Amino acid sequence: IKILDSPGIVFHSGSDNDATVALKNAIKVGSLKDPIVPATAILQRAHKHTLVALYCIPEFNTPQEFFASLAARMGRYKKGGVPDQEAAARILLNDWNIGK
């Protein structure tokens, strides 16, 4: 029998996928293999105008446009000056998990 009286504990069941677990903040964002999937789920749930105002980025139509704009805004680039979309997805996930 396990009795836990804590609102901050979320167990990872085998049936949950990484996106669901990441949105519950039950796994470290840095350990995700593909942060794009859960970050895209956030984009589907959040209001577009809220994200645009929060991150001071231009309007976007696709998740890739959002990640590219956010990466450029935060100065996250790969070699060759390409915006790092995975880094932008991790930023969004961290902000989601801390309640920003």
Side-chain angles (χ1 to χ4, degrees), residues 17-65:
N17 60 21
D18 280 346
T20 304
V21 174
L23 295 179
K24 292 178 184 176
N25 197 16
I27 190 171
K28 290 183 180 179
V29 174
S31 67
L32 288 172
K33 294 177 185 173
D34 184 18
I36 301 287
V37 175
T40 302
I42 292 172
L43 293 178
Q44 293 171 350
R45 295 178 183 193
H47 296 286
K48 186 187 294 189
H49 64 277
T50 304
L51 294 170
V52 167
L54 179 65
Y55 292 111
C56 300
I57 59 172
E59 288 285 331
F60 61 92
N61 294 318
T62 64
Q64 290 77 19
E65 287 180 20

Side-chain angles (χ1 to χ4, degrees), residues 2 4 8 13-14 35-36 39 48 50 52 65 77 83-84 86 91:
K2 291 182 185 179
L4 297 172
S13 66
I36 301 287
K48 186 187 294 189
T50 304
V52 167
E65 287 180 20
Y77 294 100
D84 189 355
E86 285 189 7
I91 290 169

Side-chain angles (χ1 to χ4, degrees), residues 1-6 9 11:
I1 296 175
K2 291 182 185 179
I3 298 175
L4 297 172
D5 185 21
S6 176
I9 295 178
F11 290 105

Side-chain angles (χ1 to χ4, degrees), residues 76-86:
R76 311 283 186 187
Y77 294 100
K78 291 182 178 181
K79 288 184 178 179
V82 178
D84 189 355
Q85 294 191 8
E86 285 189 7

